[in-house]
């Protein structure tokens, strides 16, 4: 349970919200805290419960920039600048979706010509697992399609966004949530998988693999791996060859 007000990272400067429908906005805070959210002169209220809160912003047509504010009892707690309404797409998958613009065959030209301030990308940080009893803060921000940012965009998502914006003529937000080599089952909650008998094989397989798993031994191996990786990066930065 959180005793501190916080707006979720996805609602940060430059956020694209979905046009023509209500948008949920959420975060954490102390129980009983009364919050007022305002955008384009419209206000909605909500109350924190069990350390969390959520409010629904009214539907809005495409456009911007707007300002989103969150306040409590007259005190402003958060201000989000440069908010636009448009179309928001989820770019999910494995390594093909994760593949960066900088690694494509025509990267140099695409990066140099990247001048699409209303195409924005939010990359969800990797999280190996999540403890539902704790709130894991997300450290990430929205990035505009500019030469300094585009190299790290998903190549598939970026070129898709260009085509969609050309056809729709509205701001485009891409939420990048991908991890090479991951199984589709790892993106679904255990509770959801358990509701489908034909998917039980995924739970059975996982439980078999972790049955005798030694977390203390794993911690030692992981620490050694992390140290070796850090040492490698230091040597590489100092000019050592790949060999």
């Amino acid at each position: 349970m959180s005793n501190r007000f916080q707006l979720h990272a996805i609602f940060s400067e430059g956020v694209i919200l979905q046009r023509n429908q209500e948008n949920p906005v959420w975060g954490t805070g102390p129980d009983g805290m009364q919050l007022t959210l305002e955008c384009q002169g419209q206000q909605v209220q909500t109350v924190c419960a069990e350390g969390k809160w959520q409010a629904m912003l009214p539907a809005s047509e495409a456009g911007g920039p707007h300002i989103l504010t969150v306040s409590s009892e007259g005190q402003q707690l958060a201000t989000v600048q440069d908010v636009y309404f448009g179309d928001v797409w989820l770019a999910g998958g494995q390594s093909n979706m994760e593949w960066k613009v900088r690694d494509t065959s025509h990267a140099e030209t695409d990066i140099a010509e990247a001048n699409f301030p209303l195409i924005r990308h939010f990359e969800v940080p990797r999280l190996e697992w999540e403890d539902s009893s704790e709130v894991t803060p997300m450290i990430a921000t929205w990035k505009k399609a500019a030469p300094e940012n585009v190299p790290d965009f998903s190549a598939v998502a970026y070129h898709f966004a260009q085509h969609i914006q050309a056809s729709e003529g509205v701001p485009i937000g891409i939420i990048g949530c991908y991890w090479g080599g991951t199984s589709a089952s790892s993106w679904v909650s255990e509770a959801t998988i358990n509701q489908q008998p034909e998917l039980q094989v995924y739970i059975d397989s996982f439980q078999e693999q972790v049955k005798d798993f030694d977390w203390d031994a794993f911690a030692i191996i992981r620490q050694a791996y992390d140290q070796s990786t850090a040492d490698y990066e230091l040597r590489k930065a100092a000019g050592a060859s790949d060999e």
Side-chain angles (χ1 to χ4, degrees):
M1 183 177 297
S2 176
N3 290 317
R4 174 171 166 266
F5 168 83
Q6 189 167 32
L7 187 61
H8 192 279
I10 203 166
F11 305 106
S12 54
E13 181 175 344
V15 61
I16 305 287
L17 299 175
Q18 181 58 44
R19 60 172 169 157
N20 301 332
Q21 70 176 45
E22 289 185 315
N23 281 271
V25 179
W26 65 88
T28 60
D31 286 358
M33 174 180 271
Q34 298 183 355
L35 300 171
T36 298
L37 284 72
E38 182 173 350
C39 187
Q40 300 189 73
Q42 299 189 81
Q43 293 186 349
V44 292
Q45 283 79 36
T46 189
V47 179
C48 294
E50 298 183 358
K52 301 177 181 179
W53 60 270
Q54 178 175 297
M56 299 296 292
L57 290 182
S60 177
E61 295 181 353
H66 305 296
I67 299 175
L68 168 64
T69 63
V70 185
S71 59
S72 178
E73 298 180 354
Q75 179 183 359
Q76 195 157 295
L77 303 176
T79 301
V80 183
Q81 304 278 352
D82 199 30
V83 177
Y84 276 82
F85 289 85
D87 285 342
V88 183
W89 295 84
L90 174 64
Q94 299 181 317
S95 55
N96 285 351
M97 187 63 79
E98 185 179 20
W99 192 38
K100 306 297 185 184
V101 171
R102 64 169 179 264
D103 297 321
T104 61
S105 59
H106 37 74
E108 186 174 345
T109 299
D110 287 338
I111 293 170
E113 295 177 351
N115 183 27
F116 304 94
L118 294 183
I119 293 179
R120 300 176 183 184
H121 185 274
F122 183 93
E123 184 168 349
V124 178
R126 290 181 173 185
L127 188 65
E128 293 173 330
W129 68 84
E130 188 169 22
D131 186 343
S132 59
S133 66
E134 298 181 1
V135 176
T136 304
M138 182 182 290
I139 301 175
T141 58
W142 286 88
K143 303 290 186 182
K144 296 179 182 180
E148 63 270 22
N149 299 322
V150 160
D152 291 321
F153 284 14
S154 157
V156 173
Y158 175 58
H159 291 293
F160 169 80
Q162 285 181 295
H163 285 291
I164 291 296
Q165 189 183 54
S167 64
E168 297 295 322
V170 300
I172 300 295
I174 296 291
I175 299 175
C177 192
Y178 31 70
W179 197 333
T182 51
S183 163
S185 64
S186 66
W187 295 85
V188 183
S189 72
E190 183 175 349
T192 300
I193 292 178
N194 277 326
Q195 293 173 5
Q196 307 294 329
E198 63 271 26
L199 301 182
Q200 188 62 38
V201 61
Y202 291 109
I203 299 296
D204 294 341
S205 175
F206 174 76
Q207 290 177 341
E208 179 64 28
Q209 292 180 57
V210 301
K211 182 174 60 177
D212 299 315
F213 195 83
D214 187 333
W215 283 100
D216 292 333
F218 171 75
I220 294 173
I221 295 172
R222 181 61 178 266
Q223 185 177 17
Y225 171 81
D226 289 342
Q227 185 61 56
S228 296
T229 302
D231 291 344
Y232 167 82
E233 294 296 343
L234 286 173
R235 294 196 301 274
K236 184 178 178 181
S241 66
D242 291 340
E243 289 77 12

